[in-house]
Amino acid sequence: MTGDDLAFQPATALAGMIRDKQVSPVDLVQAYLSRIDRLDDGLRAYVTVCRDAALAAARAAESRRGRGAPLGRLGGVPFAVKDQFDTKGVTTTQGSKLYADRVPDETATVVARLEAEGAILLGKLNMTEFALGGTQDFPFGQPRNPWHRAHDPGGSSSGSGIATAAALAAFTLGEDTGGSVRSPAGFCGVVGIRPTWGRVSRHGVFPLSWSMDAPGPLGRTVADVAMVLAIMAGRDPRDPLTSDAPVADYPAAVGSEVGGLRIGMITELTAGPDTSSEVRGAIDTAAKLLGGLGARVDPVSIPTLPLAGAVFMALADSEGAGLHMDALRTRPLDFDRGTRRRLIAAGLLPTAITQEAARARVIIRTEVLRAFDRFDVLLSPTAPSTAASITAMRAPIESGEEAARRFFTRRSFTTPASLAGLPAISVPCGFSVAGLPIGLHLMGRVFDESTLFRVAHAYERATPWHQRRPAE
Amino acid sequence: MAEATGLALDTDDLVEVTHRLNAFLHALAAIRALPLATVEPVPLPPADA
């Protein structure tokens, strides 16, 4: 197997190959470093590559293996994390010039948990500034979609989507407030999950919205994501909002059949006016396939969902504006102009209107939860269309209508789960004529990530999409 | 409004911030058709979470 073939192996397979002494952890780290050297100038997935530390960790893993010491569930497997996660002694920028030189003295809980299971940190990944989305001039390089470099990779965990799809790491971490794991997963053709709010610690993760932030993994297979989430999840005394609820055995859900499950296909998101015919066709085909596997798929209407994007942005962006107000006053030009304008607009929203949005959130959440009286999983596209071109993303905004179309419409596909605090996964479900990936979005009940893994894996096993590789 | 909040805006910023603010005001006008007075604006997910 060549280094490139090795790099594209699932993380779970790599862990087994290392345990069985079929692969050296040092060779594996070098395989990923070689791909980063060759491809990342064009893709800009990484902000920082921890070359020496990763090689040292790989040599230590090889030595442990030689002594017969336990390696951990992900022993020797290289991963990378969004630059929103604190890493002791490694620059953590939040994708912003304002934090370009910040070196934390502590590592985020979830990163530490993965390292404790033997995973090796390869580096820190590019992101839209402060996890907001809409960055115009990326201070650490323009991230590009590996399937078509003129296109956006999605955000805010842009580098996480790129590095996973282009095999610049075995798996990655992102943080999802309104879709920031699921959007890059969908646009880059990989798997990404937003866990139930409170399932995963946010300690050491730079905040955007306290009631919606949710760190989550991205991988090239559903089994990889299930394995990584199993390690990340659970109570953390340093994050008082993590739940005491027991963590399910996610890897055990992978491989279960879907017969008898009830799946609701959300009419407003699947067949609404904003959804492209290519995306709608791919989702219809996926729904039929799941029906053929024994699930019962029926349409469900949730009329308030098209409002979710605007409600989400009114709430999350206002929080963001509050968080950054001091720097907006004192160092406005150190913000990217897209971030600055987005935060200022939200900061000027009248409080009475954000209070109305907070009430609308409760109504949307109630409607979504009510749908789970009839269904186990809610199905829709991850986005209404494939990834936009970078040129289109950078075009000036000429009117309020255009701003609404550009910022609210797409977010209405991922933010219902965020507003409701529910888990949701994006899994590849096809490609457009232009060769850009399409994502299938599955939303589940509170703490029922297992059913999402069950459905996503059944779909993945029956389709070829996860086996494709982007051209170099 | 920006000045009152202590924020400096150049001309380009002002144009785009105005469009973005108008987008919010227009989109959020639609939520007034919902029974907003019947619920409390509690941001936490349900108790079983």
Side-chain angles (χ1 to χ4, degrees):
Chain A
M1 192 180 291
T2 66
D4 287 340
D5 289 337
L6 199 58
F8 273 99
Q9 290 295 306
T12 43
L14 290 169
M17 292 159 83
I18 290 167
R19 260 193 311 272
D20 296 343
K21 300 189 177 177
Q22 296 169 34
V23 171
S24 145
V26 176
D27 290 348
L28 186 58
V29 165
Q30 280 173 335
Y32 283 114
L33 290 174
S34 164
R35 289 185 62 78
I36 293 166
D37 289 342
R38 195 168 78 235
L39 298 171
D40 205 45
D41 274 354
L43 294 171
R44 305 310 291 261
Y46 279 84
V47 174
T48 303
V49 179
C50 304
R51 185 176 303 270
D52 294 341
L55 283 167
R59 283 192 287 272
E62 199 151 286
S63 168
R64 270 199 309 279
R65 188 177 68 172
R67 295 195 308 271
L71 292 177
R73 282 180 278 179
L74 288 169
V77 177
F79 75 115
V81 304
K82 184 180 187 180
D83 217 10
Q84 190 181 355
F85 291 81
D86 279 355
T87 42
K88 184 178 179 180
V90 180
T91 310
T92 300
T93 67
Q94 331 300 342
S96 178
K97 269 193 246 177
L98 286 124
Y99 285 78
D101 301 317
R102 177 174 172 268
V103 180
D105 54 13
E106 195 180 2
T107 294
T109 295
V110 291
V111 178
R113 284 184 180 180
L114 290 163
E115 290 184 317
E117 287 289 344
I120 294 173
L121 185 68
L122 269 180
K124 309 295 295 292
L125 298 166
N126 209 348
M127 57 185 284
T128 57
E129 189 174 32
F130 295 125
L132 274 162
T135 303
Q136 297 291 296
D137 298 304
F138 284 82
F140 307 104
Q142 170 69 53
R144 295 179 178 276
N145 194 307
W147 296 93
H148 196 318
R149 293 189 186 189
H151 286 254
D152 179 54
S156 62
S157 310
S158 313
S160 309
I162 300 167
T164 307
L168 304 181
F171 68 90
T172 63
L173 298 191
E175 187 280 319
D176 188 312
T177 302
S180 288
V181 163
R182 294 163 285 155
S183 293
F187 286 149
C188 292
V190 298
V191 183
I193 190 167
R194 169 199 170 79
T196 304
W197 182 80
R199 176 76 295 175
V200 169
S201 170
R202 301 160 305 147
H203 177 74
V205 185
F206 194 86
L208 172 54
S209 169
W210 72 270
S211 69
M212 290 188 268
D213 290 349
L218 297 88
R220 287 184 292 278
T221 67
V222 174
D224 282 1
V225 169
M227 166 67 88
V228 176
L229 184 62
I231 295 168
M232 295 168 69
R235 172 82 179 157
D236 176 11
R238 292 182 298 179
D239 179 353
L241 295 175
T242 45
S243 172
D244 286 322
V247 177
D249 184 352
Y250 303 135
V254 172
S256 305
E257 302 300 322
V258 295
L261 283 180
R262 300 162 302 165
I263 299 176
M265 190 156 117
I266 303 172
T267 307
E268 286 77 7
L269 303 183
T270 304
D274 302 311
T275 305
S276 76
S277 57
E278 275 186 315
V279 169
R280 182 177 177 172
I283 299 302
D284 283 342
T285 304
K288 286 190 186 105
L289 189 148
L290 287 167
L293 294 174
R296 177 173 174 161
V297 185
D298 288 305
V300 57
S301 174
I302 309 179
T304 54
L305 291 199
L307 300 170
V311 168
F312 167 84
M313 285 187 76
L315 297 173
D317 288 19
S318 308
E319 277 194 58
L323 192 63
H324 296 289
M325 190 55 83
D326 186 48
L328 283 166
R329 290 186 181 117
T330 57
R331 298 176 61 185
L333 298 180
D334 286 336
F335 285 83
D336 168 71
R337 62 194 153 96
T339 309
R340 183 175 67 245
R341 293 166 184 174
R342 178 172 168 177
L343 287 173
I344 291 175
L348 298 181
L349 261 180
T351 309
I353 289 179
T354 55
Q355 284 298 302
E356 286 179 332
R359 289 174 188 268
R361 174 185 184 180
V362 177
I363 292 170
I364 292 170
R365 184 167 75 219
T366 303
E367 278 197 6
V368 172
L369 292 175
R370 194 175 294 138
F372 284 105
D373 291 344
R374 291 174 51 212
F375 298 102
D376 302 300
V377 168
L378 298 177
L379 175 156
S380 58
T382 306
S385 52
T386 54
S389 72
I390 290 166
T391 306
M393 299 284 287
R394 290 169 56 95
I397 293 160
E398 307 283 359
S399 68
E401 291 77 14
E402 188 199 341
R405 199 168 47 250
R406 202 192 289 189
F407 301 125
F408 302 150
T409 301
R410 178 172 57 77
R411 286 189 172 82
S412 290
F413 286 69
T414 52
T415 53
S418 309
L419 294 169
L422 299 176
I425 193 168
S426 181
V427 60
C429 77
F431 286 81
S432 68
V433 171
L436 286 161
I438 298 170
L440 171 67
H441 189 269
L442 304 166
M443 180 162 45
R445 294 192 178 97
V446 170
F447 292 130
D448 193 13
E449 285 83 359
S450 290
T451 300
L452 296 182
F453 287 130
R454 188 174 155 194
V455 177
H457 182 258
Y459 176 79
E460 178 186 78
R461 192 169 49 185
T463 55
W465 313 120
H466 63 291
Q467 294 165 352
R468 287 202 192 178
R469 299 179 186 181
E472 288 188 14
Chain B
M1 286 170 72
E3 277 175 14
T5 320
L7 298 166
L9 292 176
D10 67 21
T11 307
D12 289 342
D13 279 353
L14 183 60
V15 169
E16 188 174 316
V17 166
T18 304
H19 290 325
R20 284 174 177 266
L21 200 46
N22 282 333
F24 267 126
L25 297 175
H26 177 74
L28 293 173
I31 67 177
R32 290 189 199 125
L34 302 175
L36 299 178
T38 65
V39 295
E40 293 179 354
V42 182
L44 285 167
D48 61 351

